Amino acid sequence: SKATLFDKGTRVNITFADVAGLDEAKVEVMEIVDFLRNPKKYTALGGKIPKGALLVGPPGTGKTLLAKAMAGEAQVPFFSLSGSDFVEMFVGVGASRVRDLFKQAREKAPCVIFIDEIDAIGRARGKNAMMSNDERESTLNQMLVEMDGFGTDSGIIVLAATNRPDVLDTALLRPGRFDRQISIDQPDLAGREAIFRVHLKEIKTSQELSVRKLAELTPGFAGADIANVCNEAALIAARRNKAGVEMDDFQDAIDRVIGGLEKKNKIIQ
Ligand code: ATP
């Protein structure tokens, strides 16, 4: 799901329980949650709390979900914007949006700011296909100014997501900015099974399903694809006037999602 432009300080009720797998990433995020909850505990010993972390991983693997869960666990407001929303903007508009966002975040701190698809604004010079260079640079510069402008104990944590860390301007990765990287991997078999379990909670089934089997049938699926499969299966079963979703509905839903993924890949190639 795309972070909506200016998700302004919403309270989220998503927690780590909604995020399946990603155990190592959760441990790292939990550490940051503790910084938000008890900043003095760390600064008392002279430590500098990180301002931000980069969530690195392929599309649909739960980066946005994890950022929201972080705000939910810390019980702080969630602000977000997406790099792709800045594409084709007039020069100066992106920078002023970034300024506004940080201004509001400062007023509501402690809080979490999430910037999805940061590569759209944070690409190194000359590597941008989507946005005019002037606009991208002024937006990126504003982001750097804002990151440098708040103290490490201000209670603001900035998370950013990308699947292209290699194209990012190194200025973003310097100490005091996004100096931590948390990798979010494509789920393996056990991961897919765990993700199915989370999403099956919302689905009314009418027979005992083998969740392991569902995970085996979906190699290469990201969390977003699995959420999609569960939803499609419920719609297919309903169309068939069933009282609950059955294995054959899941099978057809999986085929449909595979078809969609193949189409998407064809367009990209
Ligand atoms: P993108 O890079 O395309 O923005 P993303 O990595 O931010 O993708 P999300 O938007 O967090 O992915 O995932 C989309 C949806 O997929 C989530 O809202 C959730 O329903 C489901 N999902 C993805 N990963 C997981 C997971 N690890 N556990 C449970 N659900 C997941």
Side-chain angles (χ1 to χ4, degrees), residues 127-185:
K127 286 193 183 169
N128 199 328
M130 302 257 274
M131 210 186 304
S132 89
N133 262 328
D134 285 352
E135 172 56 358
R136 184 197 47 74
E137 250 169 65
S138 82
T139 308
L140 174 60
N141 283 338
Q142 191 61 40
M143 182 90 66
L144 299 176
V145 165
E146 298 292 347
M147 292 287 292
D148 293 344
F150 64 85
T152 53
D153 56 353
S154 68
I156 301 175
I157 293 284
V158 190
L159 294 179
T162 183
N163 54 4
R164 293 297 310 274
D166 53 307
V167 301
L168 289 181
D169 193 314
T170 52
L172 275 170
L173 309 175
R174 282 199 202 120
R177 294 174 183 159
F178 297 100
D179 45 8
R180 290 192 170 200
Q181 291 204 11
I182 301 178
S183 50
I184 311 288
D185 297 322

XYZ file of all heavy atoms in Angstrom, residues 127-185:
454
model
N 21.274 10.637 -12.077
C 20.740 9.281 -12.185
C 19.214 9.276 -12.142
O 18.593 8.271 -11.881
C 21.264 8.425 -11.021
C 22.714 8.031 -11.183
C 23.069 6.951 -10.188
C 24.551 6.597 -10.287
N 24.963 5.767 -9.184
N 18.623 10.436 -12.345
C 17.174 10.492 -12.186
C 16.452 10.542 -13.524
O 16.736 11.364 -14.376
C 16.782 11.719 -11.372
C 15.399 11.566 -10.816
O 14.556 10.934 -11.433
N 15.170 12.120 -9.655
N 15.516 9.621 -13.675
C 14.748 9.608 -14.911
C 13.385 10.258 -14.719
O 12.725 10.642 -15.666
C 14.580 8.173 -15.381
N 12.958 10.363 -13.461
C 11.555 10.704 -13.187
C 11.303 12.192 -12.938
O 10.252 12.722 -13.238
C 11.088 9.929 -11.953
C 11.227 8.444 -12.116
S 9.661 7.685 -12.451
C 9.063 7.462 -10.786
N 12.259 12.845 -12.326
C 11.993 14.191 -11.856
C 13.023 15.123 -12.440
O 14.143 14.714 -12.686
C 12.113 14.191 -10.326
C 11.249 15.200 -9.628
S 11.582 15.241 -7.857
C 11.322 13.595 -7.357
N 12.657 16.395 -12.651
C 13.665 17.329 -13.143
C 14.758 17.445 -12.082
O 14.484 17.343 -10.893
C 13.041 18.699 -13.398
O 13.101 19.487 -12.237
N 15.988 17.656 -12.524
C 17.100 17.706 -11.590
C 16.994 18.830 -10.578
O 17.301 18.649 -9.418
C 18.421 17.806 -12.346
C 19.068 16.432 -12.464
O 18.918 15.606 -11.575
N 19.756 16.200 -13.554
N 16.516 20.008 -11.048
C 16.382 21.143 -10.135
C 15.413 20.828 -9.015
O 15.673 21.090 -7.852
C 15.857 22.371 -10.894
C 16.948 22.981 -11.748
O 18.105 22.541 -11.619
O 16.624 23.882 -12.534
N 14.289 20.253 -9.409
C 13.262 19.981 -8.413
C 13.728 18.916 -7.426
O 13.547 19.046 -6.226
C 11.958 19.549 -9.095
C 10.875 19.060 -8.153
C 10.497 20.063 -7.058
O 11.088 21.142 -6.991
O 9.635 19.721 -6.243
N 14.369 17.872 -7.974
C 14.823 16.811 -7.105
C 15.871 17.348 -6.130
O 15.850 17.063 -4.948
C 15.401 15.657 -7.916
C 15.799 14.463 -7.069
C 16.726 13.537 -7.804
N 17.810 14.229 -8.473
C 18.854 14.750 -7.865
N 18.982 14.653 -6.561
N 19.788 15.373 -8.540
N 16.760 18.164 -6.664
C 17.821 18.678 -5.808
C 17.298 19.585 -4.714
O 17.753 19.516 -3.578
C 18.869 19.415 -6.644
C 20.168 18.628 -6.694
C 21.136 19.175 -7.716
O 21.590 20.331 -7.532
O 21.416 18.467 -8.692
N 16.323 20.428 -5.060
C 15.827 21.332 -4.016
C 15.044 20.544 -2.969
O 15.101 20.854 -1.781
C 15.008 22.485 -4.614
O 13.696 22.087 -4.860
N 14.351 19.483 -3.388
C 13.619 18.657 -2.418
C 14.604 17.892 -1.530
O 14.453 17.851 -0.310
C 12.687 17.660 -3.151
O 11.882 18.387 -4.074
C 11.791 16.922 -2.174
N 15.614 17.316 -2.166
C 16.634 16.575 -1.410
C 17.365 17.485 -0.428
O 17.570 17.140 0.734
C 17.615 15.914 -2.381
C 18.830 15.220 -1.755
C 18.413 14.099 -0.818
C 19.755 14.666 -2.843
N 17.737 18.687 -0.913
C 18.441 19.617 -0.019
C 17.608 19.964 1.198
O 18.113 20.024 2.315
C 18.836 20.898 -0.765
C 20.051 20.655 -1.641
O 20.812 19.710 -1.398
N 20.213 21.475 -2.662
N 16.314 20.170 0.968
C 15.433 20.500 2.096
C 15.383 19.336 3.092
O 15.393 19.540 4.302
C 14.015 20.829 1.580
C 13.126 21.437 2.655
C 13.693 22.747 3.183
O 14.219 23.568 2.435
N 13.609 22.953 4.494
N 15.369 18.140 2.545
C 15.343 16.948 3.405
C 16.602 16.899 4.279
O 16.538 16.615 5.469
C 15.281 15.710 2.509
C 15.208 14.396 3.230
S 13.521 13.944 3.516
C 12.986 13.682 1.860
N 17.755 17.189 3.667
C 19.022 17.175 4.413
C 19.029 18.271 5.476
O 19.452 18.048 6.616
C 20.207 17.346 3.452
C 20.364 16.247 2.394
C 21.515 16.576 1.438
C 20.589 14.879 3.031
N 18.505 19.454 5.104
C 18.430 20.561 6.062
C 17.569 20.160 7.257
O 17.924 20.372 8.413
C 17.847 21.827 5.382
C 17.416 22.863 6.416
C 18.854 22.420 4.409
N 16.438 19.521 6.972
C 15.521 19.132 8.055
C 16.143 18.047 8.940
O 16.033 18.092 10.154
C 14.191 18.630 7.497
C 13.407 19.656 6.705
C 12.884 20.799 7.570
O 12.910 20.692 8.809
O 12.457 21.825 6.977
N 16.793 17.079 8.306
C 17.418 15.997 9.080
C 18.497 16.565 10.013
O 18.658 16.109 11.134
C 18.074 14.960 8.164
C 17.141 14.122 7.322
S 16.206 12.877 8.223
C 17.437 11.697 8.741
N 19.239 17.563 9.502
C 20.319 18.133 10.308
C 19.782 19.082 11.376
O 20.469 19.397 12.335
C 21.306 18.898 9.414
C 22.044 17.952 8.477
O 22.005 16.733 8.738
O 22.641 18.430 7.499
N 18.533 19.506 11.169
C 17.988 20.572 12.016
C 17.400 20.129 13.336
O 17.121 20.950 14.194
N 17.166 18.834 13.491
C 16.631 18.450 14.809
C 17.652 17.630 15.584
O 18.474 16.928 15.024
C 15.266 17.738 14.688
C 15.253 16.414 13.975
C 15.558 15.241 14.658
C 14.900 16.326 12.638
C 15.522 14.024 14.013
C 14.863 15.118 11.985
C 15.181 13.960 12.676
N 17.583 17.770 16.888
C 18.527 17.081 17.755
C 18.197 15.614 17.847
O 17.072 15.200 17.560
N 19.195 14.820 18.233
C 18.953 13.382 18.296
C 17.997 13.017 19.431
O 17.489 11.918 19.484
C 20.268 12.599 18.489
O 20.941 13.132 19.622
C 21.146 12.706 17.270
N 17.777 13.970 20.368
C 16.859 13.653 21.462
C 15.502 14.335 21.289
O 14.744 14.485 22.220
C 17.488 14.053 22.797
C 17.872 15.526 22.801
O 17.762 16.169 21.733
O 18.274 16.031 23.864
N 15.214 14.758 20.035
C 13.970 15.492 19.789
C 12.752 14.580 19.755
O 11.625 15.040 19.755
C 14.069 16.223 18.465
O 14.102 15.244 17.445
N 12.980 13.274 19.708
C 11.840 12.367 19.656
C 11.279 12.170 18.260
O 10.201 11.618 18.093
N 12.002 12.625 17.244
C 11.560 12.372 15.873
C 12.453 11.289 15.268
O 13.673 11.406 15.287
C 11.647 13.638 14.995
C 10.786 14.754 15.581
C 11.213 13.322 13.561
C 10.911 16.073 14.821
N 11.830 10.248 14.757
C 12.589 9.222 14.046
C 12.096 9.218 12.598
O 10.895 9.209 12.340
C 12.351 7.825 14.665
C 12.943 7.748 16.079
C 12.915 6.733 13.766
C 14.457 7.597 16.161
N 13.033 9.280 11.683
C 12.670 9.280 10.267
C 13.051 7.934 9.659
O 14.216 7.551 9.665
C 13.386 10.410 9.493
C 12.813 10.534 8.087
C 13.271 11.733 10.232
N 12.049 7.242 9.151
C 12.314 6.000 8.428
C 12.084 6.273 6.960
O 11.168 7.007 6.597
C 11.348 4.898 8.881
C 11.471 4.390 10.316
C 10.419 3.324 10.569
C 12.863 3.820 10.564
N 12.920 5.699 6.113
C 12.697 5.864 4.683
C 12.815 4.492 4.031
O 13.558 3.636 4.516
C 13.731 6.819 4.098
N 12.064 4.279 2.977
C 12.090 2.980 2.310
C 12.595 3.107 0.887
O 12.342 4.108 0.206
C 10.685 2.370 2.298
N 13.330 2.091 0.460
C 13.781 2.052 -0.933
C 14.076 0.617 -1.353
O 14.369 -0.227 -0.509
C 15.053 2.910 -1.141
O 15.401 2.891 -2.532
C 16.248 2.372 -0.362
N 13.956 0.354 -2.627
C 14.468 -0.919 -3.128
C 15.704 -0.685 -3.998
O 16.209 -1.602 -4.623
C 13.393 -1.729 -3.875
C 12.733 -0.943 -4.975
O 13.118 0.190 -5.251
N 11.744 -1.531 -5.628
N 16.175 0.564 -4.023
C 17.376 0.903 -4.792
C 18.366 1.695 -3.941
O 18.647 2.854 -4.244
C 16.976 1.738 -6.022
C 16.151 1.029 -7.076
C 16.880 -0.139 -7.724
N 18.233 0.164 -8.198
C 18.506 0.669 -9.391
N 17.554 0.971 -10.243
N 19.762 0.875 -9.734
N 18.928 1.089 -2.894
C 19.871 1.851 -2.066
C 21.098 2.266 -2.861
O 21.756 3.249 -2.549
C 20.236 0.866 -0.951
C 19.935 -0.479 -1.496
C 18.794 -0.305 -2.454
N 21.394 1.512 -3.930
C 22.602 1.774 -4.719
C 22.549 3.102 -5.470
O 23.586 3.648 -5.814
C 22.813 0.621 -5.708
C 21.568 0.361 -6.547
O 20.477 0.172 -5.958
O 21.661 0.363 -7.787
N 21.349 3.631 -5.735
C 21.288 4.886 -6.501
C 21.203 6.124 -5.606
O 21.178 7.246 -6.094
C 20.083 4.902 -7.494
C 20.183 3.760 -8.476
C 18.748 4.895 -6.770
N 21.154 5.898 -4.288
C 20.961 7.040 -3.392
C 22.188 7.936 -3.300
O 23.321 7.462 -3.309
C 20.607 6.562 -1.984
C 19.231 5.950 -1.797
C 19.046 5.557 -0.333
C 18.137 6.907 -2.241
N 21.934 9.223 -3.217
C 22.974 10.199 -2.976
C 23.605 9.885 -1.611
O 22.887 9.741 -0.620
C 22.341 11.599 -2.946
C 23.375 12.695 -3.012
O 24.382 12.613 -2.284
O 23.181 13.636 -3.801
N 24.929 9.777 -1.590
C 25.587 9.361 -0.345
C 25.411 10.391 0.778
O 25.573 10.052 1.941
C 27.097 9.109 -0.567
O 27.644 10.251 -1.209
C 27.335 7.872 -1.412
N 25.041 11.595 0.414
C 24.787 12.618 1.446
C 23.693 12.146 2.403
O 23.712 12.473 3.590
C 24.371 13.933 0.797
N 22.769 11.370 1.890
C 21.661 10.875 2.726
C 22.121 9.837 3.746
O 21.457 9.613 4.752
C 20.593 10.231 1.838
C 19.545 11.141 1.226
C 18.736 10.364 0.199
C 18.628 11.720 2.296
N 23.234 9.192 3.445
C 23.654 8.049 4.256
C 24.700 8.417 5.307
O 25.168 7.573 6.047
C 24.199 6.944 3.342
C 23.275 6.557 2.185
C 23.948 5.540 1.274
C 21.953 6.007 2.695
N 25.048 9.692 5.351
C 26.070 10.125 6.307
C 25.590 10.012 7.736
O 24.402 10.041 8.000
C 26.455 11.579 6.022
C 27.359 11.601 4.847
C 28.146 12.877 4.737
N 28.506 12.937 3.332
C 28.166 13.904 2.518
N 27.513 14.949 2.955
N 28.494 13.842 1.256
N 26.529 9.918 8.684
C 26.149 9.873 10.095
C 25.240 11.045 10.459
O 25.440 12.153 9.968
C 27.493 9.991 10.825
C 28.502 9.496 9.850
C 27.984 9.841 8.480
N 24.258 10.766 11.264
C 23.318 11.823 11.640
C 22.143 11.916 10.682
O 21.216 12.681 10.891
N 22.203 11.141 9.607
C 21.060 11.097 8.683
C 20.565 9.661 8.664
O 20.277 9.109 9.712
C 21.484 11.617 7.327
C 21.829 13.114 7.431
C 22.386 13.664 6.145
N 22.776 15.068 6.293
C 23.626 15.671 5.499
N 24.186 15.012 4.495
N 23.922 16.935 5.675
N 20.448 9.058 7.492
C 20.011 7.654 7.493
C 21.223 6.749 7.662
O 21.709 6.145 6.715
C 19.263 7.316 6.202
C 18.011 8.107 6.050
C 17.974 9.224 5.239
C 16.861 7.754 6.748
C 16.820 9.974 5.117
C 15.713 8.497 6.634
C 15.695 9.618 5.826
N 21.714 6.704 8.886
C 22.982 5.982 9.073
C 22.779 4.521 9.422
O 23.733 3.791 9.613
C 23.887 6.703 10.068
C 23.144 7.161 11.299
O 21.952 6.788 11.442
O 23.717 7.892 12.106
N 21.547 4.082 9.522
C 21.295 2.650 9.748
C 20.525 2.088 8.573
O 19.646 2.751 8.039
C 20.431 2.448 10.985
C 21.148 2.767 12.240
C 20.380 2.273 13.433
N 21.238 2.403 14.589
C 21.078 1.757 15.718
N 20.067 0.921 15.861
N 21.906 1.924 16.708
N 20.861 0.873 8.212
C 20.086 0.204 7.156
C 19.485 -1.070 7.723
O 20.170 -1.843 8.378
C 20.984 -0.157 5.976
C 21.452 1.067 5.220
C 21.825 0.775 3.779
O 21.546 -0.308 3.262
N 22.433 1.735 3.123
N 18.219 -1.239 7.480
C 17.529 -2.439 7.947
C 17.032 -3.170 6.714
O 16.292 -2.599 5.914
C 16.343 -2.056 8.864
C 16.851 -1.253 10.073
C 15.570 -3.290 9.297
C 15.768 -0.776 11.034
N 17.488 -4.412 6.515
C 17.027 -5.066 5.285
C 15.776 -5.899 5.511
O 15.611 -6.579 6.515
C 18.133 -5.864 4.609
O 18.745 -6.705 5.536
N 14.891 -5.735 4.563
C 13.585 -6.390 4.582
C 13.590 -7.336 3.393
O 13.548 -6.895 2.249
C 12.456 -5.352 4.397
C 12.627 -4.152 5.335
C 11.088 -5.992 4.528
C 12.350 -4.423 6.778
N 13.703 -8.625 3.667
C 13.874 -9.558 2.562
C 12.551 -10.136 2.083
O 11.559 -10.137 2.791
C 14.794 -10.703 2.991
C 16.185 -10.191 3.323
O 16.650 -9.268 2.617
O 16.786 -10.688 4.287
